Amino acid sequence: KKEGVLNNLKATENTLKNLEPFTKEGTEEVLRTLAKNLNVKTKDIFHPLRVATTGRQVSPPLFDVLELLGKQMVLKRLKKVILHLSC
């Protein structure tokens, strides 16, 4: 439970919730902007998102995975991890 992970995941969920269309280019763009707006390194957004969506610390390219999983599955997995970390 690294400090800030829960807040970053919540911000990621809120950002992805509003993204249409849900493409690898779109997700990368909005998440890089999110990291900049939160004044954190991109790894502080990307790594927890990778673990939340794939269950692994290493995976195929993150944005390809997000597009393949689709918006509903990504949000479902994020919500599950956020609830787990909130306990």
Side-chain angles (χ1 to χ4, degrees), residues 16-44:
L16 294 179
K17 204 182 301 185
N18 300 316
L19 180 63
E20 287 297 335
F22 198 81
T23 63
K24 66 182 182 178
E25 295 83 8
T27 55
E28 182 174 8
E29 182 181 333
V30 298
L31 293 176
R32 287 187 184 281
T33 300
L34 175 64
K36 184 177 178 182
N37 291 343
L38 294 177
N39 200 30
V40 299
K41 295 180 180 181
T42 54
K43 70 177 185 171
D44 294 331

Side-chain angles (χ1 to χ4, degrees), residues 24-83:
K24 66 182 182 178
E25 295 83 8
T27 55
E28 182 174 8
E29 182 181 333
V30 298
L31 293 176
R32 287 187 184 281
T33 300
L34 175 64
K36 184 177 178 182
N37 291 343
L38 294 177
N39 200 30
V40 299
K41 295 180 180 181
T42 54
K43 70 177 185 171
D44 294 331
I45 299 293
F46 297 175
H47 187 70
L49 177 58
R50 180 185 313 278
V51 173
T53 56
T54 68
R56 304 199 181 275
Q57 292 185 11
V58 178
S59 73
L62 176 61
F63 304 107
D64 291 333
V65 170
L66 296 177
E67 184 174 46
L68 287 171
L69 287 173
K71 183 176 181 175
Q72 287 183 334
M73 182 60 70
V74 169
L75 293 174
K76 180 180 178 181
R77 291 181 181 186
L78 271 171
K79 184 171 290 304
K80 185 176 181 180
V81 170
I82 289 168
L83 286 172

Side-chain angles (χ1 to χ4, degrees), residues 1-11 38 40 44-45 48:
K1 286 189 175 183
K2 185 177 175 185
E3 186 177 329
V5 168
L6 181 58
N7 288 334
N8 290 345
L9 285 172
K10 287 179 180 179
L38 294 177
V40 299
D44 294 331
I45 299 293

